[in-house]
C-alpha cells in the first residue's frame, strides 16, 4: 500500500458543481440543542432541529472556503457573489419561527465592503418571499440585496464582492435570547427545495480524484461530522478509493436526546436518539448501502460529562468523577449502574433498528474500560459498583489511589471482580444488538495504551477480562495509536502479544485500527508512523481513524494497479565489495545561487541532507568483474530495486577507529518513547551558531550496533526496521541515548541501461554505472 499527504495543488481532475449544491451545506449550533443536515435529491437540503432553550439558534451555513472536504475533493474558493440570482422554496414545519415574525429566519452575510472593511449584513428573508410564512418562494439577487428588517426605512445594501460565509438562522418559538429553558423540547424541520442559481459564477470546480479501490478501511464518527451531509462524506470516500467496511462511531456528545434537569441537560432514557441524529444516521446508512459500503455501528461507554447523570459516572476512591482529557471532558459510564447500562442497551437496539433491509448488521463495543484518571487513579468506586461488591462479598472494596505497581491479593481480587462486571456490561450491549438484529456480526474494540502500560501490570485484570476471549465476539479490533505516534514500539509489541495470549482471536478474526493525528501540525511526523503500523499489521482488515483527520491532512492511500505493491522495492544485498572499493563519488547538495546585478550572491539550500552519488564502473578491472556487474544489474532489474552499497570513505559512526556506544547522540528520553532513529552528525566544532548536518542511517550492520544510555552500554533493545533502536523499557526522562555502528548506503542504479562491450573495455573504455542514494526515511 502506498500513500501521500495530498494538497490542493495535487488535484489533476476536476468536476463542475453548482454553487449552493446541497451536498456542501453545513449546520452548526450551541449546546444543548441539536440539529443535522441531509440532502434530498439534487436540489434539496433538509435541516432537522431540536431546541432546548430560549437562546438556541442553529445556522444553515455556506462557506466560501471549503474547510471540511478532503483536499483532492474540495470546492474551489470563490468569494465574489455578484451577478448571481438565487431561488429556492422555503418549507418549514414544527416548532421553528416563521418567516414573517421578529427573529424569524435571517440570512447573515459575513465579509467585507467595497473598501475592504469587515462587515456583516442581516437580510430578512421575508422581505424577498412570495407565499406564506411557512411555505414561500424566495429569490435573492446578490446585486440588489439589502439588509435590514423594515425596507426601505432600515435598508443596508449588501456588497457581494467579498463574502466569507453566509448562514440562515433558525430559532424556536419563544426565542428571547435569554439562557433559560423552553417549556418543552421543540422539534422542527426546514427544507430548502428547488435550489437554483443563475448568473456568471453559478458553477464551481471541485476535485474529482477517482482513485482505484484499495484495501484499507475507513472510520467515521458522528461527533466529528454532525455538521456535514452524509452524502458529502461518503461520496468523497468513494472517490478516494475507500471501499468495504466503515467503522462508524455513534459518538458520545451529539446523538443523544436530552431533557432539562435543573440547570443541566441530561440524557433522556426514553429516547435513545434525538430526532436530528436519527435522521442523519438513517440517511448515512441508506447512502452507505447504495455505494456498497458496509458500516459497523460503534457505541462506547463514554458520555459527554455535561449530559451524564451524576450517579452513572465512574468515580475514583475519593469520589471524583472519572473525566477524560478532552475539553470539555467526557465521563465513563459505570458498568454496574443499571440505569446507565439500560440506556446503552436501548441505544444499541435503536441503532440496529436503523440498519436498512438488505444490509448486513454489524455492531462494535467501542473501547470499554474502567477509566484511569490523572496520577493513575483508577475509577472503580462509584456508588453502584461499591454497593454491588459489598452486597456480594460483605466487604468494602480495597481502596486504590494509584493503579501503578503490583497489587496485593485483596486488590487483585477486586480488580478481577471489576473485570467480570465490565465483561458483563459489554455482553449486555451485544445481547441488545442480537435481540434487535439476530444475525448481527459483533466486534470488540480494545485500546491497548489505556490498559497495557508497563508500570501498571494488574490493570489488565479489570480492563482485559477473560470473558472477552474468543469466540465471545465475532471480531477483535485492536487499537494502539498512542503507542504508534509516540514511537513506543516496545509497548505496541508487548500489547499485541498480551492480547493474543489472553484473548486468543485468530488473525482471520482480527482487525487493526490505526491513527489518529490530533493536531494538524503533527501530520507530517505522525502519518508515516500510522501508515507503517497499518501496513505491517497482520490483521485481516486495517482501518484508519478517522475521516476528519484524513480529510484535513489530505491522507490518501492507494494501490498500484499493476501489482507493484507486492514487489519488494529493496533487495537487502550488498553491491560486490571489490567493485565498490574502486567506485568514485560522494555527497551532493542542491543549492540555488542567484547572482545580483552588483555581483552579490543569494544562496538557498534546498536539501537539509546530502544525497550520495557514485560511479561504480571505475571498479571494473577484469572480464569477470564485468560479468559480475551485469549479473547484479539484471538481478536488480535496473532501477527497480535498491540495494546496499559500502562507501569506502564513510561507513562508520566513528570519525576514526572502531565505533563505540557513545559515538552518535540519538535523542533524549522522555519516559515513554522507546524508538530512536540512528543518525550521524557532521559539523564544524568551531561554528556554534551552525547546527551539525544530520544524516539518517537506515542500513546499519546489525552485528556492529552498540547502544548506551547516559554512557552506560545497554542490552534491553532490538534493531528495528530502517535503522531504529527499539527499547523494551523507555529510557528515563532526560537520559541521553547514543549509539555506534557501521553502515551501508541504500542506493539504486540511476539508469535502466548499461552499455558495455568487450572490445571497448579492452581498449580502456570503462562502463558508466551511476548509483544514486535512496532516501528511505
Amino acid at each position: 500500500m502506498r500513500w501521500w499527504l495530498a494538497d490542493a495543488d495535487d488535484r489533476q481532475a476536476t468536476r463542475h458543481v453548482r454553487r449552493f449544491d446541497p451536498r456542501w451545506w453545513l449546520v452548526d449550533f450551541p449546546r444543548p440543542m441539536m440539529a443535522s443536515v441531509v440532502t434530498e435529491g439534487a436540489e434539496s437540503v433538509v435541516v432537522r432541529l431540536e431546541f432546548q432553550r430560549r437562546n438556541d439558534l442553529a445556522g444553515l451555513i455556506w462557506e466560501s472556503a471549503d474547510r471540511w472536504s478532503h483536499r483532492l475533493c474540495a470546492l474551489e474558493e470563490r468569494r465574489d457573489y455578484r451577478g448571481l440570482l438565487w431561488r429556492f422554496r422555503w418549507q418549514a414545519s414544527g416548532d421553528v419561527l416563521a418567516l414573517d415574525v421578529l427573529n424569524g429566519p435571517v440570512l447573515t452575510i459575513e465579509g467585507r465592503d467595497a473598501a475592504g472593511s469587515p462587515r456583516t449584513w442581516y437580510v430578512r428573508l421575508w422581505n424577498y418571499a412570495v407565499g406564506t410564512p411557512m411555505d414561500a418562494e424566495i429569490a435573492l439577487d446578490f446585486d440588489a440585496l439589502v439588509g435590514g428588517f423594515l425596507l426601505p426605512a432600515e435598508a443596508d445594501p449588501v456588497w457581494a464582492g467579498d463574502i466569507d460565509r453566509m448562514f440562515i438562522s433558525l430559532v424556536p418559538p419563544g426565542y428571547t435570547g435569554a439562557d433559560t429553558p423552553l417549556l418543552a423540547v421543540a422539534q422542527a424541520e426546514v427544507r430548502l427545495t428547488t435550489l437554483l442559481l443563475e448568473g456568471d459564477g453559478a458553477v464551481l470546480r471541485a476535485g474529482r480524484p477517482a482513485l482505484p479501490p484499495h484495501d484499507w478501511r475507513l472510520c467515521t464518527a458522528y461527533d466529528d461530522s454532525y455538521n456535514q451531509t452524509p452524502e458529502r462524506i461518503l461520496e468523497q470516500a468513494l472517490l478516494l478509493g475507500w471501499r468495504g467496511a466503515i467503522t462508524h462511531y455513534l459518538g458520545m456528545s451529539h446523538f443523544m436526546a436530552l431533557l432539562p434537569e435543573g440547570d443541566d441537560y441530561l440524557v433522556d432514557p426514553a429516547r435513545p436518539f434525538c430526532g436530528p441524529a436519527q435522521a442523519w444516521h438513517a440517511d448515512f446508512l441508506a447512502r452507505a448501502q447504495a455505494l456498497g459500503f458496509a458500516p459497523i455501528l460503534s457505541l462506547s461507554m463514554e458520555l459527554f460529562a455535561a449530559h451524564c447523570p451524576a450517579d452513572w459516572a465512574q468515580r475514583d476512591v475519593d469520589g471524583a468523577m472519572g473525566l477524560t482529557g478532552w475539553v470539555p471532558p467526557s465521563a465513563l459510564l459505570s458498568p454496574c449502574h443499571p440505569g446507565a447500562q439500560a440506556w446503552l442497551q436501548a441505544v444499541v437496539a435503536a441503532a440496529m433498528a436503523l440498519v436498512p433491509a438488505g444490509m448486513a448488521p454489524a455492531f462494535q463495543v467501542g473501547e470499554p474500560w474502567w477509566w484511569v484518571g490523572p496520577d493513575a487513579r483508577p475509577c472503580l468506586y462509584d456508588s453502584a459498583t461499591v454497593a454491588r461488591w459489598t452486597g456480594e462479598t460483605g466487604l468494602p472494596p480495597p481502596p486504590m489511589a494509584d493503579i501503578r505497581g503490583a497489587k496485593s491479593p485483596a486488590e487483585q481480587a477486586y480488580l478481577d471482580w471489576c473485570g467480570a462486571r465490565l465483561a458483563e456490561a459489554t455482553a449486555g450491549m451485544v445481547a441488545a444488538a442480537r435481540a434487535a438484529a439476530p444475525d448481527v456480526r459483533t466486534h470488540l474494540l480494545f485500546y491497548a495504551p489505556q490498559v497495557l502500560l508497563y508500570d501498571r501490570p494488574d490493570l489488565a485484570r479489570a480492563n482485559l477480562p477473560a470473558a472477552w476471549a474468543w469466540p465471545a465476539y465475532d471480531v477483535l479490533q485492536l487499537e494502539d495509536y498512542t503507542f504508534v505516534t509516540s514511537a513506543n514500539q516496545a509497548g505496541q509489541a508487548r500489547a499485541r502479544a498480551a492480547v493474543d495470549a489472553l484473548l486468543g482471536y485468530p488473525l482471520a478474526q482480527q482487525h487493526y485500527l490505526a491513527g489518529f493525528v490530533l493536531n494538524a501540525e503533527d501530520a507530517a511526523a505522525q502519518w508515516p508512523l500510522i501508515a507503517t503500523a497499518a501496513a505491517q499489521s497482520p490483521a485481516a482488515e486495517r482501518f484508519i481513524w478517522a475521516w476528519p483527520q484524513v480529510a484535513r491532512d489530505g491522507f490518501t492511500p492507494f494501490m498500484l494497479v499493476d501489482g507493484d505493491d507486492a514487489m519488494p522495492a529493496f533487495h537487502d544485498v550488498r553491491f560486490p565489495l571489490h567493485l565498490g572499493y574502486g567506485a568514485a563519488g560522494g555527497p551532493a547538495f542542491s543549492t540555488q545561487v542567484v547572482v545580483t546585478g552588483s555581483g552579490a550572491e543569494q544562496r538557498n539550500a534546498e536539501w537539509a541532507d546530502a544525497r550520495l552519488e557514485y560511479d561504480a564502473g571505475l571498479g571494473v578491472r577484469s572480464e569477470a568483474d564485468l560479468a559480475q556487474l551485469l549479473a547484479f544489474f539484471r538481478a536488480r532489474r535496473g532501477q527497480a530495486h535498491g540495494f546496499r552499497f559500502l562507501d569506502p570513505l564513510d561507513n562508520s559512526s566513528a570519525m576514526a577507529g572502531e565505533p563505540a556506544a557513545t559515538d552518535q547522540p540519538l535523542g533524549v528520553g522522555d519516559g515513554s518513547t522507546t524508538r530512536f532513529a540512528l543518525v550521524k552528525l557532521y559539523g564544524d566544532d568551531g561554528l556554534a551558531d551552525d547546527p551539525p548536518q544530520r544524516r539518517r542511517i537506515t542500513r546499519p550492520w546489525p552485528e556492529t550496533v552498540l547502544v548506551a544510555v547516559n554512557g552506560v552500554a545497554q542490552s534491553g533493545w532490538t534493531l528495528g526496521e530502517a535503522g531504529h533502536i527499539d527499547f523494551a523499557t523507555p529510557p528515563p526522562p532526560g537520559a541521553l541515548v547514543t549509539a555506534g555502528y557501521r553502515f551501508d548506503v541504500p542506493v539504486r542504479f540511476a539508469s535502466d541501461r548499461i552499455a558495455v562491450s568487450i572490445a571497448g573495455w579492452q581498449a580502456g573504455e570503462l562502463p558508466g554505472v551511476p548509483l544514486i542514494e535512496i532516501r528511505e526515511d
Side-chain angles (χ1 to χ4, degrees), residues 302-671:
E302 189 173 353
L303 179 60
F304 188 65
H307 301 328
C308 181
D311 58 341
W312 285 17
Q314 298 177 22
R315 295 180 180 273
D316 68 18
V317 70
D318 293 326
M321 184 181 289
L323 299 177
T324 66
W326 300 112
V327 180
S330 52
L332 280 300
L333 300 183
S334 169
C336 293
H337 194 285
Q341 295 306 311
W343 178 75
L344 285 171
Q345 293 169 21
V347 173
V348 173
M352 290 296 99
L354 292 175
V355 175
M359 174 181 284
F363 172 68
Q364 178 209 81
V365 180
E367 297 180 351
W369 54 40
W370 292 95
W371 186 247
V372 176
D375 300 322
R377 298 175 68 83
C379 296
L380 308 166
Y381 299 97
D382 62 274
S383 58
T385 299
V386 171
R388 184 168 174 182
W389 163 266
T390 301
E392 293 181 9
T393 66
L395 301 171
M400 284 179 281
D402 192 327
I403 196 62
R404 290 171 293 196
K407 298 303 169 187
S408 68
E411 292 169 332
Q412 289 178 341
Y414 185 57
L415 290 168
D416 289 337
W417 180 89
C418 288
R421 303 289 75 73
L422 182 63
E424 181 182 275
T426 60
M429 296 170 70
V430 168
R434 288 204 173 107
D439 57 343
V440 66
R441 186 168 174 81
T442 62
H443 303 70
L444 174 71
L445 176 62
F446 177 70
Y447 180 59
Q450 175 68 14
V451 179
L452 299 176
L453 295 177
Y454 72 95
D455 64 345
R456 50 200 72 183
D458 284 319
L459 180 58
R461 293 175 177 272
N463 279 343
L464 193 60
W468 284 350
W470 166 262
Y473 295 82
D474 294 314
V475 178
L476 172 69
Q477 295 182 306
L478 180 62
E479 184 181 17
D480 59 6
Y481 64 81
T482 302
F483 283 153
V484 172
T485 57
S486 64
N488 189 348
Q489 272 66 26
Q492 186 182 21
R494 184 180 64 251
R496 288 179 177 176
V499 171
D500 285 344
L502 292 170
L503 301 186
Y505 282 77
L507 278 176
Q509 306 305 127
Q510 289 191 39
H511 295 170
Y512 179 65
L513 267 70
F516 73 114
V517 181
L518 178 61
N519 300 309
E521 58 269 24
D522 296 327
Q526 294 187 355
W527 276 116
L529 301 173
I530 291 166
T532 299
Q536 293 178 346
S537 171
E541 297 273 19
R542 280 73 59 87
F543 289 76
I544 302 297
W545 179 274
W547 171 254
Q549 291 76 35
V550 166
R552 179 197 67 198
D553 300 332
F555 181 75
T556 310
F558 64 96
M559 297 180 69
L560 299 181
V561 295
D562 61 3
D564 280 354
D565 278 274
M567 182 183 297
F570 193 90
H571 290 174
D572 199 17
V573 296
R574 183 175 291 124
F575 190 75
L577 282 176
H578 67 281
L579 298 181
Y581 274 116
F589 284 92
S590 177
T591 306
Q592 286 186 344
V593 180
V594 177
V595 182
T596 66
S598 66
E601 291 183 353
Q602 293 182 350
R603 293 177 297 280
N604 178 42
E606 295 180 316
W607 296 352
D609 191 2
R611 194 177 193 185
L612 292 155
E613 298 176 0
Y614 306 93
D615 186 349
L618 301 177
V620 177
R621 293 290 184 266
S622 67
E623 292 182 24
D625 290 347
L626 193 58
Q628 187 175 15
L629 171 63
L630 290 175
F632 191 87
F633 181 80
R634 279 180 171 273
R636 308 290 83 74
R637 291 172 173 82
Q639 299 182 83
H641 303 281
F643 51 92
R644 288 174 176 261
F645 179 81
L646 179 64
D647 187 332
L649 297 178
D650 188 0
N651 56 62
S652 174
S653 60
M655 297 306 173
E658 291 298 316
T662 54
D663 282 342
Q664 297 293 331
L666 308 188
V668 177
D670 59 10

Side-chain angles (χ1 to χ4, degrees), residues 19 64 77-82 109-121 142 158-166:
R19 202 190 304 216
S64 297
E77 182 176 336
R78 190 178 297 183
R79 298 174 181 272
D80 191 346
Y81 291 71
R82 291 173 296 179
I109 300 175
E110 299 172 342
R112 279 153 291 279
D113 61 21
S117 300
R119 277 296 314 272
T120 301
W121 295 272
F142 280 88
V158 174
W159 192 75
D162 191 1
I163 293 174
D164 294 327
R165 73 166 186 164
M166 57 185 71

